[in-house]
Amino acid sequence: MKQEQSEEDLVAASRNGDRAAFSRLVRMHQERVYWVVRRMVGDHDDALDLAQEVFIRAYEKLDRFRGDARFFTWLYRIAMNMTLNHLRRAKLRSFLPLADHGDAVEEHDPGPAEQLESEQLRELITDAIETLPEKQRAVFVLRYFEELPYEEISTILHTSTGGLKANYHHAVRKIEHHVKAHL
Amino acid sequence: MSKHICNNIRQQLPDYLDGKLGEREAERMRTHLTDCASCCAEAARLRPLMQDLLPAAREGSADVDWGRFLADVNEGIDARGTQKKSAFGVHPGFALVAATVVFALIAVWMLLRPFSGNNASDPLLAEDLFDAREIETLTSLTGDAATDLPGSVTDASLPPSSLTVISEEITDVADDELLEIADAQIVDALGEDEAVTAGMDYLSDAQLLESLSEDDVTLIASLLESENFMTE
């Protein structure tokens, strides 16, 4: 019977072109990658596309993974870079005249009346997160939702832990302000 | 109470309220909050969010077919792999040369092209439209050097009328030269950083953006698709 392969083995095998091994890595991490992206961009379809692209890029760039960080930390880094690029592009597109780019404006859907209160709360929080500057948003998602230690976030975002703590505090304050104003 | 201490304490407040501080740090926090009215007020302000509201947002559910997700990832890898091989299959330097030629052609065309507008009322010099040296720099730099490149065709020092004309120029050439640049094979060989830098320069000015059509922006965005900041 085949022995259970460690993540390290799977990465090594994937690097040698073993697609079955890479598929196992995808299955191991797909949900977490999806959620970190989803919490950054807000939209399900965009998150799905981006999460898939994260794994495609990861496979292409596996040679660059030196193994000095956890594989998942490396995946997070790709996810964050791609997500921040996505947000930047969306922001640039928003400069366009509305008539030329109507689909860039999201319609606010208040949702059905029977919607659960907790769901409304989630929407409010999601809206609040979307108002954060990109960097603060990234720090907030990685710290609050992913519960990563600052040292790991520092590796992902290339920011000092002191700066991250300040960013996290600012993010929380802004979310609090937004929620308070809309409750 | 020292402002420096209060700043440090406040930066740790979200973690404290979320139960993420170690016992020693939590004790230090409790002591400080007992002594400092200002930080205590800040804690009271953030507590409902951290302890009541945010936890509800942690529980998320998404309707995702993970089997389909994996299949799509594999399809993407297959498609990308084929494209990559064909890009470098002819000659490794071919597409880079092609891209440089494209940029040079744009530059020459812009410098030599007679102005259709009224030159008397718009004393714009050809050099203002598109500085060939910029193109040369963009195509020769890579990585951080290109990213940090000071100035660009959308340099703020150019008068607004120049920006308008530049945007018209770019719109005019979008269907030909820019389409070629957007070609995946060329972007591949041009190098992600250079392609992105070129795209970002076009996109970096709001005035310019307003003049571009949606197609042009989509086109430029496709350049940005190859952006990757992994600096392993």
Side-chain angles (χ1 to χ4, degrees):
Chain A
M1 188 182 278
K2 200 176 177 182
Q3 263 193 327
E4 192 67 25
Q5 283 180 295
S6 69
E7 186 171 88
E8 210 173 42
D9 294 337
L10 291 172
V11 171
S14 303
R15 203 181 270 145
N16 290 327
D18 183 342
R19 293 285 291 275
F22 188 71
S23 291
R24 286 189 61 195
L25 287 172
V26 175
R27 278 194 291 268
M28 283 164 72
H29 298 299
Q30 58 193 8
E31 212 157 336
R32 281 184 78 184
V33 167
Y34 164 80
W35 274 108
V36 78
V37 174
R38 167 80 184 266
R39 284 177 168 131
M40 285 292 291
V41 301
D43 181 77
H44 165 75
D45 292 331
D46 285 350
L48 212 51
D49 288 346
L50 279 166
Q52 283 169 357
E53 189 61 26
V54 167
F55 286 107
I56 295 168
R57 288 277 177 95
Y59 186 78
E60 287 176 339
K61 309 285 182 186
L62 263 179
D63 285 344
R64 295 196 195 178
F65 176 61
R66 293 192 298 254
D68 46 7
R70 288 193 298 165
F71 178 66
F72 194 63
T73 304
W74 187 69
L75 270 184
Y76 265 137
R77 204 167 144 200
I78 298 173
M80 273 300 154
N81 286 336
M82 291 186 59
T83 306
L84 291 172
N85 293 342
H86 171 87
L87 292 172
R88 194 185 318 150
R89 281 196 296 274
K91 198 171 168 184
L92 288 168
R93 286 193 183 111
S94 72
F95 281 118
L96 285 173
L98 296 185
D100 288 349
H101 210 71
D103 58 350
V105 182
E106 281 183 23
E107 283 181 24
H108 179 67
D109 180 9
E114 66 272 18
Q115 216 167 15
L116 293 172
E117 200 177 312
S118 61
E119 197 171 319
Q120 287 172 327
L121 183 59
R122 269 199 293 276
E123 277 181 24
L124 180 58
I125 299 289
T126 302
D127 287 347
I129 293 170
E130 285 178 16
T131 65
L132 296 175
E134 292 159 10
K135 186 71 175 288
Q136 281 179 23
R137 198 187 308 187
V139 175
F140 181 79
V141 167
L142 293 175
R143 182 62 182 165
Y144 185 76
F145 290 110
E146 299 303 314
E147 301 186 291
L148 295 183
Y150 285 111
E151 290 71 22
E152 198 163 358
I153 302 175
S154 171
T155 305
I156 295 165
L157 298 177
H158 296 293
T159 306
S160 69
T161 54
L164 291 173
K165 285 177 185 174
N167 268 314
Y168 186 49
H169 179 228
H170 287 311
V172 168
R173 285 196 71 162
K174 282 181 187 165
I175 291 171
E176 191 272 341
H177 185 77
H178 180 93
V179 169
K180 205 172 181 179
H182 291 85
L183 268 181
Chain B
M1 197 63 68
S2 150
K3 194 179 172 187
H4 179 68
I5 293 174
C6 287
N7 275 343
N8 281 340
I9 286 288
R10 286 179 190 207
Q11 284 177 12
Q12 289 188 308
L13 265 178
D15 285 334
Y16 170 69
L17 295 169
D18 196 26
K20 284 195 182 108
L21 285 191
E23 189 44 47
R24 233 173 95 182
E25 284 174 307
E27 186 53 41
R28 194 170 67 99
M29 176 68 76
R30 280 191 286 271
T31 306
H32 181 88
L33 293 180
T34 310
D35 297 338
C36 178
S38 171
C39 288
C40 188
E42 175 76 357
R45 177 182 162 182
L46 299 182
R47 184 169 281 114
L49 177 77
M50 294 304 297
Q51 297 184 344
D52 298 329
L53 303 177
L54 277 177
R58 262 195 181 125
E59 307 147 13
S61 63
D63 187 17
V64 180
D65 177 349
W66 293 113
R68 182 71 248 163
F69 180 92
L70 177 61
D72 287 345
V73 168
N74 279 320
E75 272 176 33
I77 291 171
D78 289 338
R80 206 71 61 81
T82 308
Q83 193 178 48
K84 241 183 143 72
K85 274 179 197 163
S86 68
F88 292 95
V90 181
H91 189 282
F94 168 75
L96 178 58
V97 171
T100 307
V101 168
V102 167
F103 273 113
L105 283 174
I106 298 173
V108 170
W109 177 74
M110 284 183 172
L111 290 170
L112 300 180
R113 180 177 174 267
F115 295 114
S116 55
N118 183 348
N119 284 346
S121 63
D122 188 0
L124 206 61
L125 296 174
E127 285 80 2
D128 285 335
L129 290 176
F130 211 113
D131 188 335
R133 283 171 305 172
E134 288 285 356
I135 298 162
E136 200 181 320
T137 313
L138 280 173
T139 51
S140 64
L141 290 179
T142 57
D144 291 341
T147 308
D148 296 333
L149 187 70
S152 69
V153 292
T154 60
D155 192 315
S157 64
L158 289 178
S161 58
S162 303
L163 290 171
T164 306
V165 176
I166 290 169
S167 67
E168 285 168 6
E169 301 282 4
I170 291 174
T171 306
D172 286 347
V173 299
D175 289 338
D176 303 311
E177 287 90 345
L178 282 180
L179 263 179
E180 284 190 55
I181 296 166
D183 183 288
Q185 292 192 2
I186 292 180
V187 169
D188 247 358
L190 177 63
E192 292 170 348
D193 294 325
E194 286 148 327
V196 168
T197 302
M200 289 302 263
D201 282 336
Y202 291 134
L203 283 172
S204 66
D205 192 286
Q207 291 186 55
L208 182 60
L209 276 169
E210 279 173 9
S211 307
L212 291 178
S213 70
E214 189 179 344
D215 284 347
D216 293 337
V217 173
T218 306
L219 190 65
I220 292 167
S222 72
L223 289 175
L224 299 177
E225 289 298 336
S226 63
E227 183 169 8
N228 187 343
F229 288 134
M230 285 187 303
T231 52
E232 293 292 326

